[in-house]
Amino acid sequence: MTAPRDNDSDVAAEGDVAAGAADGASHRPTYSTLSVIMPVFNERSTVAEIVRRMRAVEIPLVLQLVVVDDGSSDGSEKVLGALEDSTVRVITHHENQGKGAAIRTGLAAATGDLILIQDADLEYDPDDWPRLLDPILKGKARVVYGSRFTGERKNMLPLHWFANRMLSFTTNLLYRSTLSDMETCYKLFDAKAIEGITIVSNRFDFEPEITAKVLRRGHRIYEVPISYAGREVDEGKKITWRDGFSALAALVRFRFSKEF
């Protein structure tokens, strides 16, 4: 990784030029494998169905599923044991460490030239994968986010809606971006675009951390509309209002960090 310069605006400006060349329509690399990293924590009722849906999606790539069981205690681990095969690799954390830690483990095991993050609940639909892949396969982008605010959605609680919008606004203010949904789970990367990035966040602050580091590297994030079927707390929703404050702190922290 190139050492950061003292003048952040110079880095951003040069990054924009590089991104324009690398992320432009004339750049069309060849991809062969999509690695999907899926953290799992106590999702016994949904994990088999989400794996079935992932296997059923038709994409022009070899599929590698890296499932990280992050210390589940509800029987998810037994379900995952039955699902593991040549396309599904299960890695186990014996204690719960958090979403960011699980993704960090998954990234170390992923071998694809494209990396996608997938939640183990049914809020995000793998049928949206082709829509996410399209800009990258056409050479329009190297990083694609699925936006819940430009597509179909249901059951997003008012507090979550407000927090998501505020965090996206803060991201745009700090990083000169135009994102509508920074906190989305659906983040798709050309593996080389995030090569060398070290994830230090253990919980849901993974989302602002990876976004901050990708933007500071000069990559433009391409957004596509996705569907979203949100859960409520009594249905297993794990993120809380406290995580919103952690995300805000992470956005500020990684804006001025010397590592990106």
Side-chain angles (χ1 to χ4, degrees):
M1 184 190 306
T2 303
R5 302 184 183 184
D6 291 337
N7 190 332
D8 240 6
S9 62
D10 288 344
V11 174
E14 291 180 13
D16 283 345
V17 173
D23 298 351
S26 61
H27 176 77
R28 188 172 296 195
T30 301
Y31 300 106
S32 60
T33 303
L34 173 65
S35 292
V36 180
I37 299 171
M38 185 173 75
V40 176
F41 178 57
N42 291 343
E43 300 288 1
R44 180 184 58 186
S45 63
T46 60
V47 69
E49 174 61 16
I50 197 65
V51 169
R52 184 196 67 78
R53 293 186 188 184
M54 291 192 292
R55 285 170 166 161
V57 178
E58 293 186 7
I59 56 174
L61 300 161
V62 175
L63 179 62
Q64 177 197 37
L65 302 179
V66 181
V67 181
V68 182
D69 177 18
D70 190 30
S72 295
S73 58
D74 70 337
S76 295
E77 65 281 8
K78 295 179 181 177
V79 176
L80 289 172
L83 295 172
E84 190 168 16
D85 61 14
S86 59
T87 61
V88 179
R89 178 180 178 186
V90 178
I91 303 172
T92 301
H93 287 173
H94 295 293
E95 295 182 1
N96 178 251
Q97 299 178 39
K99 181 177 182 177
I103 292 174
R104 186 164 57 241
T105 295
L107 285 170
T111 59
D113 35 29
L114 290 175
I115 307 290
L116 174 67
I117 310 302
Q118 171 75 52
D119 277 352
D121 52 34
L122 301 179
E123 290 188 334
Y124 293 84
D125 189 349
D127 280 345
D128 285 323
W129 287 2
R131 186 178 295 176
L132 291 159
L133 287 165
D134 187 65
I136 284 189
L137 297 181
K138 289 182 177 178
K140 295 180 178 179
R142 298 182 69 192
V143 181
V144 177
Y145 283 15
S147 174
R148 296 167 291 177
F149 297 104
T150 55
E152 299 177 11
R153 70 177 185 272
K154 66 176 182 180
N155 290 346
M156 183 176 287
L157 299 175
L159 181 60
H160 291 162
W161 183 93
F162 178 77
N164 277 291
R165 301 302 284 190
M166 284 301 298
L167 289 171
S168 294
F169 173 80
T170 303
T171 303
N172 295 335
L173 188 65
L174 289 173
Y175 298 91
R176 294 186 293 178
S177 56
T178 56
L179 293 173
S180 66
D181 193 4
M182 180 277 290
E183 282 282 310
T184 181
C185 161
Y186 268 166
K187 293 177 167 66
L188 174 65
F189 308 97
D190 178 321
K192 291 183 179 178
I194 58 172
E195 187 175 16
I197 288 179
T198 300
I199 301 301
V200 298
S201 300
N202 288 331
R203 289 182 51 78
F204 294 106
D205 42 353
F206 161 80
E207 313 290 0
E209 178 182 359
I210 192 64
T211 302
K213 291 181 175 180
V214 162
L215 288 172
R216 289 191 65 192
R217 279 192 167 190
H219 295 295
R220 297 190 181 114
I221 298 175
Y222 196 110
E223 286 190 307
V224 298
I226 58 168
S227 59
Y228 178 70
R231 299 190 297 179
E232 297 188 17
V233 175
D234 60 358
E235 297 174 300
K237 188 77 171 177
K238 298 178 178 67
I239 195 167
T240 70
W241 60 270
R242 294 181 181 86
D243 294 299
F245 287 105
S246 296
L248 184 62
L251 285 171
V252 175
R253 171 189 174 191
F254 292 114
R255 173 62 182 85
F256 302 103
S257 171
K258 296 299 183 182
E259 287 280 341
F260 66 95

